[in-house]
Amino acid sequence: MSASKAALKAAKGALDAHDYERAIENATKVLKEDPQSYHANVFLGLALEKQSRNDESEKAYTAATAVKPNDPLAWQGLISLYEQQGARLLHRYHDVAVRLAQLFMHVDDKTRCQTVVDKYTDLARNCGSRSQYKQSLEMLLPGNDLYDYLEGRIPHPSHTYARLSEIVEQDEKERINHEIGQRRTRLGARIDQVTVEVKREVLQNSDLEALYQHAIDWTDDQETRRLYEEKLLQHAYDTLVALPVAQKASKREEVVGLARGLVILKHPFSLAWKISLEWHDVEGIEELDVGLLREYIEFFPEDGLGKILKGYLESEISVFPKQVSIAEDNENEEAKASSLTAEDRLILMTDGVEDSPSSMLGHRIMGEYYLHLDEYESAAETARKGRRQAALETSMSGLPFQNIIDAIDLILGTALVQHQAPRHHPEAKSLFEGILARKPGNSSALVGIGLIFEEQEEYERAMGFLDRAVRHTPSVRIRCEAAWCKALNGDYATGCSELEECLPSLSASDPRTKTLKAQTLYRIGMCMWNMDDSKASRRDRNKAYARFISSLQADRNFAPSYKSLGIYYTDYAKDKGRARKCFQKAFELSSCEVVAAERLAQSFAKTSEWDLVEIVAQRVVESGKLRPPPGSKKKGISWPFAALGVVQLTNQDYPNSIVSFQSALRISPKDYYSWVGLGESYHNSGRYIAATKAFEQAQRLEQELGAEVLGDTWFSKYMLANVKRELGEYDAAIGGYEEVLALRRKEYGVSIASLQTLIESAWHNLELGFFGRAIESVQNALNVAKDLSQWRKDAFNLWKSVGDLCSVYTYIQSYIDEFPFQDIHSLLKDDFELESYNLLAEFDDMGWAAFEASATGDSAASVLECCSFAAILAQKRAVSCCAHDPHAGAVAWYNLGWAEHRAHVCRYGEVSLGRPAPLRYLKASVQCFKRAIELEAGNSDFWNALGIVTTQLNPRVAQHSFVRSLYINDKNAGTWTNLGIFYLFEGDVQLANDAFTRAQSVDPDHPQAWLGQGLLATQLGETDEARNLFTHAFEISNASATQIQRSYAFSMLDHLLSSPGASKDNASLLQSLLALRQLSKLRVPDLLSSHTRSLFQERIGDQANVSQGLMSVCSALEAEYETSESSETLARFAQAKADLSRSLLAEGNFDSAADNAETALDLSADDDQAGTARDKTRLSAYLSAGLARYYQGSMDRSIEMFKGALGETQGDPDIICLLSQVLWAKEGDAERSIARDQLLQCIEKHPGHVGTTLLLGAIAVLDDDRDTIDAVFDDLQQLRSHDDLSPQQHQQLGQLLNAIAILFPGDKDQSSARMSDAATTVMLRPSQPYGWTQMAGLTDDTHPAEIAVLTAVRKAPSRGELSAGDLSEALAGTRKGYDAQRSIMLAPWMSSGWKTLSKV
């Protein structure tokens, strides 16, 4: 024990000496001997604290407090230790400080107790968090032992509660923001929903309201108390808003109580006052406390609701008596002058609504005020906002606010009844019905429904509701409306008398009733107007007229009275000036005066004031009175939309006119004129299918409604014909025009349209290749032109059309003999100064005398020239008809220029470069196009035309013209093509190619661009490319493109001559023949084209036409040779004779064939004609003559001809084969021996020649020469594997081998040999039908026959070259009746089909 004491003293001494290590050592020794030593633990804790060994020091102090809990020394050590560490151990500091303060309290040491508390609170405030500081302050609250002990020494509770509330406010704010920030990022989270949920969680568990209440209870300062009362109300209100509906009731009572308390105390906290005012669910505003309203205005003069209330209380609609001020009692004029004017009041209240968008009361009052001002649109808009706010307030407070909502609904419904009636009547009716379901006697709702039924012209039902309203509220306004409803129902006398009874109750000086009085007087006037509809009664100025005037005296802005006065002045007083002013005034005052607007629009339309018509119609449309509500008996009003459509149609605003007419037709589906207007709008905007449907509907209405209702209806027929014309349905269009002309014979526009349509039909048929139809259309056009010229000779379009119909004959020259010269002559001569036809005579030498002279010739060229002259004269007359119209004059000169150019082309050919030709028509054409350009220089077509006609005359001008045309319009493929042709003539290949390429990119379907590129390829020697280009141009061109047809046909002929396999392409042959046939119809056929066409006809087997055509060619060439005696003509004549002999041979006319062939040989005998063409001609003639003599039976002559062919061909193996066949057919031993020798020599020179080998094999079979057969058999077998054999050669080879197998089977029997041969044929040529057909004939199995049919079908044209006989044989091999019938149908000359059918 003594050692422990010594060590304890030593530790104390070491502490005093600041030797903390020794103090620790000694204190530790003591604690080893006595762990419960209080002072040793204290000394150890202090020493460790000095060495900053805080954790060990805390353990030592804690051990000491456990030994002596009531000794403050160890607790003070812990506090000192915690103070040094700041906020790190502040949570432990709290418990220690409380314990130490209690120890000092128990020993009644207030000073040391207060010191401990102050140090702790200061440390928590400076170093701790808000929650730690809050915990420290809670020590000082009433109810705590320390507060009772230290009261007066520590801060007052009001201060403490204020600090606590500030801390909690900040904590809640941060927590709400933090939670919202976290939760809003969740999938599917909505910010408004998240905000409500977070606020609900935080505010429900908040201590703030208790803290606010304690602060209110403890504070002595009135301002502070009011501040916390405001905060308490605000927090309670926020909590109420966040709570779910089921939990709002109790909280709402609390909020209302707090608000009422602040209002009673007259504290100017706006939330409290608004709750007291807004949450007072009154049925009428008169139920509110006017004193409370005035106090609100006094406390919150700048608040939005305060402005509204101020304006309302001073307005004429206020239900409260006006406050009489002391200044007014003392007749203070200055004070009276300070009252608001009506304009200032409206501005004040409008500003108030904008400043308080969340006020139900404000919107309700403002809505009623707008109704008073007849501002129904503003009233409806304000009521809708108020309704939304009421719904929001209901969701926030949980109160239903049914009376407020009903009042706002009444305002909304009343406004909707009047605003754009009857557009919103269904909505208004549903609102009123909802109110009546809750309040059956509500007069406003009853009147509202009555007005709706009155607008819908259901007067019986309207009277029922209005009578109920009168019984509940017998106000003069409702009585007037009920009386007027009776009048509208037809009881004008009763209505008039009841309205008269209401008059004494109305005063014009009272602003609230002056409009009602004006309306009542107007309605009395209308009753008088309708009670006696005689002209005298309505004209009487003492009756209805006087009431209308009295109505305007009561209210000069009452629109219906102006409207009625306008009708009076129009229909009875015959004063259009006053009537128009009255209608204008009525419409200015109210856009709902539809009758006045219609009369006004009609008057403006009569004077073509379309802008004013549009303004009137548009304003009526915007009024909303046009469409009746669903289910209404009242008809809609469509004329404003129709008027808008007419104005827009006049202004060429076709998209909007379509919309307007469609709107009119939705209201009035049987409005005939709207259908016509819609169709015309569709037509002008290019929507022809829709236009057709519109006009067809209009015509159905014509039949339904009748002419007595609609009047003249020809215009719809005319427009439908125009639509058909645009769609290319010319026959229907012409029929429509004729139908109109039957009704209105001298309607110029229709006659011209009919004439132009006939001309367009002619050009269209010309392009399609229907040349007869084109001529028929031209003849009909001439009849129309003759009729039109009887009464309208100065029409430009007439003579332009006459010129066009004459030009059609120049394009279809096969019908040139049908040109109606006499009709055209009389038409051009009738009533016109013939000297005027000498226009440009100095250039074209063309006048009336020249035209008459051209009619004397009978040749096709003379008639063609006459057609061209007639077209020129007609266009000249067209020029004279439009001398005063620059635009029409430009077009007329342009048309005349093309007529002159066409005359040049018809007489001298399309291209006369390289040969001399008169250019008088071309020069005249240049002058015409120059005149057109002078009148209209911005037309690209004029420049393009000038470039075309100057290409031969002046290349520089031509190039400039083309470039200028492209500068104006670079999207014209025709101009690019013409420029390319120009460069081609000038020899610039690269520029020509660029121009053609550009034309193709602008319009890929422009055939002339492809033609030009084909000509360019031909010039460069690229024949295949040129042929492909010509083919494409022909495929996309029309039937009138002569140059394309010619180029395509000649390129295909060159291809056939250079590629023998091309003759198998039947489609190309037929297309080429079609091109040449069309060319022969369009132009007087030239010999080259005719000869070429005959060659194509020969290729396709049209022998009859071939012979006829070649005979014509031969006759023409013979006549030409007799005139020119040209060697070139002689060569062509010889070639034509050779071709003719070949055609006659194919026909079986052997005598003529032999004669023509020998004639060709005689004509080509001259050595001066030596050349490839002559050799081919002579070879063809020799062969034709040889075959003709053979078939005549003249073998010697035939052999002679074939020998001549051999001489021409230098021993051609095919000729040798033909000669050998003829020699064998002569049946002489010597001749047959010669045939064998010729074939053997040929096979030596031409080993592998198919024809020679086949003939040697056939001769060996006939001679039964087994040695030769053995020698030839191997060659035949080798030939079977050759790929270059034709199908016919394959068939012949198979037949020969089959005959050898039958006659010389060898080691096998006959059947096996034949089957083996057929199998070999199938193996080598499985895709050919011959082997399968052969095999089908050797077996009873149907499979080979079916395969034979399948392969034969695949090889038949157009997929192959199999003949009809081969396909027929394959079908017959199936041994089926159906296939036998098909076989006979395909080739009735084949016996196989008949044999099969006989066995079925």
Side-chain angles (χ1 to χ4, degrees):
M1 179 64 74
S2 61
S4 297
K5 289 183 178 181
L8 192 61
K9 288 182 179 180
K12 177 70 171 63
L15 286 172
D16 293 338
H18 304 291
D19 187 357
Y20 302 117
E21 286 293 337
R22 190 161 57 86
I24 293 170
E25 181 182 349
N26 290 321
T28 304
K29 288 180 181 179
V30 174
L31 290 173
K32 287 181 180 179
E33 295 180 3
D34 185 7
Q36 298 296 320
S37 175
Y38 175 76
H39 288 94
N41 280 307
V42 171
F43 292 158
L44 178 61
L46 180 60
L48 290 171
E49 178 187 351
K50 296 300 183 180
Q51 288 192 335
S52 300
R53 296 164 65 180
N54 297 329
D55 293 340
E56 296 177 27
S57 174
E58 183 181 10
K59 291 180 181 178
Y61 283 136
T62 302
T65 58
V67 175
K68 292 184 178 179
N70 295 323
D71 192 314
L73 183 61
W75 295 105
Q76 288 175 331
L78 281 172
I79 285 178
S80 176
L81 178 65
Y82 291 153
E83 285 178 353
Q84 293 178 12
Q85 298 182 58
R88 193 172 73 86
L89 297 175
L90 194 60
H91 58 287
R92 298 179 187 175
Y93 192 168
H94 172 77
D95 297 334
V96 174
V98 170
R99 179 60 180 166
L100 182 59
Q102 289 176 345
L103 291 177
F104 288 139
M105 179 183 68
H106 292 155
V107 297
D108 196 22
D109 191 344
K110 291 185 177 182
T111 301
R112 297 178 69 185
C113 179
Q114 180 183 355
T115 301
V116 171
V117 170
D118 290 344
K119 285 184 177 182
Y120 170 57
T121 54
D122 290 343
L123 183 64
R125 181 178 64 252
N126 297 328
C127 300
S129 63
R130 279 196 295 270
S131 61
Q132 291 171 335
Y133 183 45
K134 174 186 174 186
Q135 188 179 30
S136 68
L137 292 175
E138 288 173 349
M139 295 170 49
L140 310 178
L141 294 176
N144 193 301
D145 294 340
L146 292 176
Y147 172 79
D148 295 336
Y149 180 67
L150 295 176
E151 185 177 6
R153 289 176 171 267
I154 58 177
H156 191 270
S158 62
H159 176 76
T160 305
Y161 281 120
R163 299 290 79 74
L164 283 172
S165 63
E166 291 174 0
I167 294 171
V168 174
E169 285 174 1
Q170 190 67 22
D171 282 345
E172 288 185 358
K173 182 178 180 181
E174 290 183 359
R175 182 183 171 191
I176 289 172
N177 293 336
H178 178 265
E179 289 295 325
I180 291 174
Q182 278 193 333
R183 298 185 189 183
R184 68 182 297 180
T185 59
R186 295 175 183 174
L187 187 64
R190 295 182 308 180
I191 184 62
D192 53 345
Q193 183 178 357
V194 168
T195 302
V196 171
E197 291 176 355
V198 171
K199 285 186 175 181
R200 182 184 302 149
E201 293 174 6
V202 174
L203 297 178
Q204 268 186 312
N205 302 315
S206 174
D207 298 329
L208 263 179
E209 292 185 24
L211 292 174
Y212 289 150
Q213 190 60 53
H214 287 306
I216 293 169
D217 294 341
W218 281 96
T219 186
D220 295 328
D221 183 59
Q222 292 297 326
E223 291 185 4
T224 304
R225 181 177 288 110
R226 298 293 173 264
L227 173 64
Y228 283 100
E229 286 176 347
E230 292 176 5
K231 289 187 175 184
L232 176 60
L233 175 58
Q234 186 66 56
H235 192 278
Y237 177 77
D238 293 341
T239 305
L240 173 64
V241 171
L243 287 174
V245 177
Q247 302 176 17
K248 287 182 182 288
S250 60
K251 195 67 179 178
R252 184 174 58 248
E253 293 298 328
E254 178 185 345
V255 170
V256 171
L258 292 172
R260 186 181 297 113
L262 287 173
V263 170
I264 292 172
L265 294 173
K266 293 183 172 42
H267 178 64
F269 181 51
S270 62
L271 178 61
W273 287 84
K274 286 182 178 179
I275 289 174
S276 297
L277 291 176
E278 300 279 358
W279 289 12
H280 196 182
D281 189 18
V282 295
E283 187 171 350
I285 295 178
E286 64 276 4
E287 299 178 24
L288 294 174
D289 184 357
V290 65
L292 197 64
L293 299 179
R294 290 196 171 100
E295 288 175 353
Y296 187 91
I297 296 169
E298 181 182 353
F299 286 134
F300 310 103
E302 298 302 320
D303 181 75
L305 181 58
K307 294 177 180 178
I308 295 171
L309 292 173
K310 181 178 180 181
Y312 172 73
L313 292 178
E314 294 187 12
S315 70
E316 59 273 18
I317 67 168
S318 174
V319 296
F320 303 109
K322 291 187 178 181
Q323 187 176 15
V324 180
S325 64
I326 299 174
E328 287 177 327
D329 288 340
N330 296 330
E331 296 183 353
N332 190 331
E333 295 298 331
E334 183 179 351
K336 288 182 180 180
S338 65
S339 61
L340 293 173
T341 62
E343 293 78 7
D344 293 339
R345 187 184 308 119
L346 179 60
I347 294 172
L348 179 68
M349 296 177 73
T350 304
D351 292 341
V353 171
E354 293 177 357
D355 294 342
S356 58
S358 60
S359 173
M360 295 183 294
L361 180 60
H363 284 90
R364 178 178 178 179
I365 293 173
M366 199 65 207
E368 290 188 0
Y369 193 65
Y370 279 135
L371 284 182
H372 168 69
L373 298 177
D374 293 339
E375 294 290 338
Y376 300 113
E377 183 178 4
S378 299
E381 182 181 355
T382 303
R384 290 187 192 279
K385 292 179 180 178
R387 211 169 186 274
R388 289 193 293 269
Q389 188 57 39
L392 181 61
E393 286 290 340
T394 297
S395 65
M396 291 191 300
S397 66
L399 290 171
F401 298 119
Q402 191 59 62
N403 289 328
I404 294 176
I405 292 175
D406 287 346
I408 294 175
D409 284 347
L410 282 174
I411 296 170
L412 177 59
T414 304
L416 293 178
V417 168
Q418 303 296 334
H419 175 55
Q420 294 186 342
R423 177 185 295 180
H424 305 291
H425 282 183
E427 182 184 358
K429 186 177 179 182
S430 65
L431 292 173
F432 292 139
E433 288 174 346
I435 295 171
L436 290 175
R438 294 183 294 272
K439 302 171 183 177
N442 190 288
S443 301
S444 299
L446 290 170
V447 171
I449 295 180
L451 291 175
I452 291 173
F453 283 127
E454 182 181 307
E455 178 68 25
Q456 295 176 1
E457 299 182 358
E458 298 185 27
Y459 302 120
E460 292 290 345
R461 301 178 67 180
M463 288 166 57
F465 282 93
L466 292 172
D467 288 342
R468 286 172 57 189
V470 170
R471 288 194 297 271
H472 285 88
T473 308
S475 68
V476 65
R477 185 180 297 275
I478 300 175
R479 286 163 50 208
C480 288
E481 198 63 47
W484 176 240
C485 190
K486 293 177 183 178
L488 292 176
N489 196 37
D491 190 359
Y492 296 109
T494 304
C496 184
S497 63
E498 291 183 1
L499 287 170
E500 293 279 4
E501 293 174 1
C502 296
L503 273 180
S505 303
L506 302 174
S507 173
S509 60
D510 189 348
R512 290 177 295 183
T513 60
K514 72 173 185 176
T515 302
L516 181 59
K517 183 173 183 178
Q519 184 185 62
T520 304
L521 287 167
Y522 160 75
R523 289 176 173 178
I524 293 172
M526 290 303 299
C527 289
M528 293 179 176
W529 184 273
N530 292 312
M531 277 192 294
D532 186 358
D533 58 356
S534 64
K535 199 168 186 178
S537 175
R538 290 188 173 181
R539 188 178 292 175
D540 190 351
R541 290 178 174 262
N542 295 320
K543 292 186 177 180
Y545 175 82
R547 298 302 187 277
F548 298 147
I549 295 296
S550 300
S551 172
L552 291 177
Q553 290 173 349
D555 186 355
R556 299 182 63 83
N557 294 324
F558 191 68
S561 296
Y562 285 107
K563 178 257 299 182
S564 298
L565 283 175
I567 295 173
Y568 171 82
Y569 286 127
T570 301
D571 298 342
Y572 299 98
K574 304 301 180 183
D575 190 343
K576 293 183 178 180
R578 286 188 176 183
R580 188 164 180 172
K581 291 180 180 179
C582 289
F583 288 137
Q584 284 180 332
K585 184 65 174 179
F587 191 62
E588 287 173 4
L589 291 171
S590 174
S591 60
C592 296
E593 291 300 326
V594 180
V595 175
E598 184 176 9
R599 297 283 189 115
L600 202 57
Q602 289 174 351
S603 66
F604 289 144
K606 289 177 181 178
T607 56
S608 298
E609 299 177 74
W610 298 112
D611 292 341
L612 297 178
V613 173
E614 182 179 16
I615 292 171
V616 172
Q618 187 63 45
R619 191 175 175 206
V620 176
V621 169
E622 293 171 355
S623 70
K625 291 185 70 66
L626 304 184
R627 293 185 176 89
S632 174
K633 297 180 180 179
K634 188 175 182 180
K635 294 182 179 180
I637 302 171
S638 62
W639 71 262
F641 288 111
L644 279 177
V646 172
V647 173
Q648 291 156 352
L649 190 60
T650 304
N651 295 333
Q652 299 182 359
D653 186 6
Y654 303 124
N656 286 328
S657 70
I658 290 171
V659 174
S660 298
F661 284 123
Q662 286 176 338
S663 300
L665 289 170
R666 290 190 188 99
I667 298 173
S668 301
K670 293 188 177 182
D671 185 353
Y672 169 79
Y673 295 102
S674 292
W675 280 111
V676 174
L678 179 62
E680 188 174 359
S681 300
Y682 278 136
H683 168 266
N684 293 337
S685 60
R687 298 169 63 179
Y688 301 118
I689 301 299
T692 302
K693 294 179 180 179
F695 286 125
E696 288 175 349
Q697 176 62 26
Q699 292 188 346
R700 284 193 289 270
L701 289 175
E702 290 176 13
Q703 299 174 357
E704 180 180 344
L705 300 177
E708 62 277 2
V709 176
L710 299 176
D712 206 349
T713 58
W714 65 271
F715 185 73
S716 65
K717 298 180 177 62
Y718 167 68
M719 287 304 301
L720 181 58
N722 286 341
V723 173
K724 296 294 185 183
R725 173 184 174 184
E726 295 292 347
L727 290 173
E729 300 177 18
Y730 296 109
D731 292 340
I734 293 167
Y737 292 134
E738 290 176 351
E739 185 179 355
V740 177
L741 289 173
L743 301 173
R744 302 173 68 91
R745 180 177 174 274
K746 292 189 177 182
E747 189 65 44
Y748 169 71
V750 182
S751 297
I752 282 294
S754 177
L755 177 60
Q756 291 176 330
T757 305
L758 285 166
I759 297 298
E760 289 174 11
S761 176
W763 290 118
H764 181 67
N765 287 320
L766 172 61
E767 292 175 355
L768 295 178
F770 301 138
F771 304 127
R773 294 183 184 178
I775 294 300
E776 184 181 353
S777 295
V778 166
Q779 293 170 348
N780 293 333
L782 180 58
N783 294 330
V784 175
K786 289 193 298 183
D787 180 67
L788 182 58
S789 66
Q790 297 299 319
W791 49 276
R792 190 68 180 270
K793 292 182 172 58
D794 59 344
F796 159 71
N797 286 321
L798 166 64
W799 300 110
K800 188 260 184 190
S801 299
V802 172
D804 287 344
L805 70 87
C806 294
S807 296
V808 170
Y809 282 97
T810 68
Y811 283 93
I812 312 177
Q813 296 177 10
S814 59
Y815 289 87
I816 199 71
D817 294 336
E818 299 181 16
F819 179 68
F821 172 78
Q822 294 300 330
D823 292 334
I824 297 295
H825 181 274
S826 60
L827 189 63
L828 293 173
K829 185 178 181 181
D830 186 28
D831 195 19
F832 188 68
E833 182 62 43
L834 299 181
E835 293 297 326
S836 299
Y837 286 128
N838 293 328
L839 181 68
L840 297 179
E842 66 273 17
F843 294 100
D844 61 5
D845 195 21
M846 179 66 219
W848 183 255
F851 172 60
E852 290 187 326
S854 67
T856 58
D858 295 331
S859 65
S862 299
V863 179
L864 179 61
E865 186 177 60
C866 182
C867 293
S868 302
F869 287 178
I872 292 174
L873 294 183
Q875 299 296 354
K876 286 183 177 181
R877 187 159 181 178
V879 170
S880 66
C881 290
C882 52
H884 303 292
D885 187 347
H887 176 70
V891 176
W893 282 107
Y894 175 73
N895 294 333
L896 178 57
W898 280 123
E900 298 276 6
H901 180 264
R902 183 61 188 169
H904 173 81
V905 170
C906 290
R907 186 162 186 176
Y908 306 112
E910 294 185 4
V911 179
S912 58
L913 292 179
R915 64 182 181 183
L919 302 176
R920 54 195 178 105
Y921 301 119
L922 211 57
K923 292 179 180 178
S925 178
V926 170
Q927 296 303 315
C928 293
F929 292 135
K930 285 183 177 180
R931 294 278 184 91
I933 290 172
E934 289 174 2
L935 294 172
E936 191 176 340
N939 192 311
S940 62
D941 292 335
F942 295 174
W943 288 101
N944 178 43
L946 181 61
I948 293 172
V949 297
T950 55
T951 297
Q952 296 176 245
L953 299 175
N954 192 330
R956 289 187 178 182
V957 174
Q959 184 180 22
H960 170 75
S961 300
F962 289 135
V963 172
R964 182 65 180 175
S965 176
L966 291 172
Y967 174 77
I968 298 171
N969 179 17
D970 62 349
K971 301 298 183 183
N972 191 324
T975 308
W976 282 109
T977 302
N978 294 333
L979 182 61
I981 295 294
F982 169 80
Y983 286 136
L984 190 60
F985 286 160
E986 296 298 317
D988 196 328
V989 175
Q990 183 59 47
L991 288 178
N993 183 65
D994 293 343
F996 291 138
T997 304
R998 182 64 181 273
Q1000 292 163 6
S1001 65
V1002 170
D1003 183 5
D1005 293 330
H1006 188 65
Q1008 280 72 21
W1010 299 96
L1011 170 66
Q1013 204 153 34
L1015 295 174
L1016 179 61
T1018 302
Q1019 184 173 328
L1020 296 175
E1022 300 175 0
T1023 55
D1024 291 339
E1025 178 67 16
R1027 186 182 69 259
N1028 292 332
L1029 291 168
F1030 290 143
T1031 302
H1032 181 66
F1034 177 73
E1035 289 173 349
I1036 64 176
S1037 66
N1038 55 53
S1040 62
T1042 57
Q1043 186 60 43
I1044 294 176
Q1045 295 164 349
R1046 183 184 179 93
S1047 300
Y1048 170 69
F1050 289 163
S1051 68
M1052 287 304 302
L1053 179 62
D1054 294 339
H1055 180 56
L1056 290 173
L1057 296 176
S1058 61
S1059 303
S1063 61
K1064 301 175 183 178
D1065 187 0
N1066 292 328
S1068 298
L1069 292 174
L1070 291 173
Q1071 281 187 338
S1072 302
L1073 182 58
L1074 173 64
L1076 291 169
R1077 282 182 175 175
Q1078 288 179 340
L1079 186 62
S1080 68
K1081 294 288 185 181
L1082 294 171
R1083 299 173 50 176
V1084 175
D1086 61 281
L1087 295 178
L1088 181 59
S1089 299
S1090 298
H1091 195 169
T1092 305
R1093 182 180 64 176
S1094 297
L1095 294 177
F1096 278 112
Q1097 288 172 332
E1098 182 183 11
R1099 291 277 181 167
I1100 65 172
D1102 187 7
Q1103 299 301 334
N1105 289 326
V1106 172
S1107 300
Q1108 183 180 358
L1110 288 174
M1111 286 178 184
S1112 300
V1113 171
C1114 289
S1115 300
L1117 286 172
E1118 185 177 6
E1120 182 179 343
Y1121 178 70
E1122 290 175 354
T1123 303
S1124 64
E1125 295 185 357
S1126 167
S1127 59
E1128 179 183 354
T1129 305
L1130 182 62
R1132 290 168 59 195
F1133 183 36
Q1135 183 181 1
K1137 280 290 185 180
D1139 293 338
L1140 177 59
S1141 67
R1142 189 171 61 249
S1143 173
L1144 293 170
L1145 177 65
E1147 286 185 14
N1149 190 350
F1150 304 123
D1151 295 338
S1152 298
D1155 293 340
N1156 280 282
E1158 291 172 358
T1159 302
L1161 290 173
D1162 293 339
L1163 292 172
S1164 59
D1166 190 354
D1167 292 338
D1168 293 339
Q1169 300 178 10
T1172 303
R1174 171 184 174 276
D1175 295 342
K1176 289 183 178 180
T1177 299
R1178 291 183 64 79
L1179 175 60
S1180 174
Y1182 273 123
L1183 291 175
S1184 298
L1187 290 172
R1189 296 303 182 187
Y1190 170 76
Y1191 286 114
Q1192 283 179 329
S1194 180
M1195 298 301 178
D1196 295 335
R1197 296 291 303 277
S1198 176
I1199 292 171
E1200 182 182 349
M1201 291 299 164
F1202 282 124
K1203 287 181 179 180
L1206 280 175
E1208 292 289 340
T1209 60
Q1210 305 297 324
D1212 184 271
D1214 291 329
I1215 304 300
I1216 292 175
C1217 289
L1218 287 173
L1219 177 59
S1220 299
Q1221 288 174 310
V1222 174
L1223 289 171
W1224 187 270
K1226 195 173 181 183
E1227 298 182 352
D1229 293 337
E1231 286 82 0
R1232 291 188 176 185
S1233 177
I1234 294 172
R1236 291 190 192 94
D1237 294 340
Q1238 289 287 338
L1239 290 172
L1240 290 172
Q1241 291 175 10
C1242 181
I1243 201 67
E1244 289 178 0
K1245 294 180 181 179
H1246 304 283
H1249 186 260
V1250 178
T1252 306
T1253 306
L1254 288 172
L1255 283 176
L1256 283 173
I1259 291 173
V1261 170
L1262 293 174
D1263 290 344
D1264 195 15
D1265 186 353
R1266 292 180 179 271
D1267 294 335
T1268 304
I1269 288 173
D1270 292 338
V1272 173
F1273 186 77
D1274 293 335
D1275 293 337
L1276 294 173
Q1277 292 291 349
Q1278 290 179 0
L1279 287 175
R1280 299 177 84 172
S1281 61
H1282 288 188
D1283 294 331
D1284 56 349
L1285 298 183
S1286 67
Q1288 185 178 7
Q1289 289 174 332
H1290 274 296
Q1291 185 179 13
Q1292 293 173 350
L1293 183 60
Q1295 291 172 348
L1296 179 58
L1297 289 172
N1298 188 34
I1300 293 173
I1302 295 173
L1303 298 174
F1304 307 100
D1307 297 336
K1308 301 178 182 179
D1309 59 19
Q1310 190 179 60
S1311 299
S1312 299
R1314 294 179 64 189
M1315 182 60 73
S1316 176
D1317 183 70
T1320 303
T1321 303
V1322 169
M1323 181 188 69
L1324 292 173
R1325 294 289 184 272
S1327 62
Q1328 298 294 335
Y1330 311 115
W1332 294 104
T1333 303
Q1334 182 182 352
M1335 186 179 290
L1338 299 174
T1339 178
D1340 294 332
D1341 189 2
T1342 59
H1343 179 70
E1346 293 174 355
I1347 298 299
V1349 173
L1350 181 62
T1351 54
V1353 170
R1354 290 180 177 175
K1355 292 298 180 179
S1358 60
R1359 292 180 289 180
E1361 302 172 11
L1362 191 71
S1363 67
D1366 295 332
L1367 179 57
S1368 173
E1369 188 175 355
L1371 288 166
T1374 63
R1375 305 182 183 90
K1376 297 178 181 178
Y1378 173 70
D1379 287 336
Q1381 291 175 339
R1382 294 171 64 194
S1383 172
I1384 294 170
M1385 183 193 70
L1386 287 170
W1389 62 88
M1390 296 290 292
S1391 61
S1392 55
W1394 296 102
K1395 290 178 181 179
T1396 302
L1397 185 62
S1398 66
K1399 296 177 181 179
V1400 174

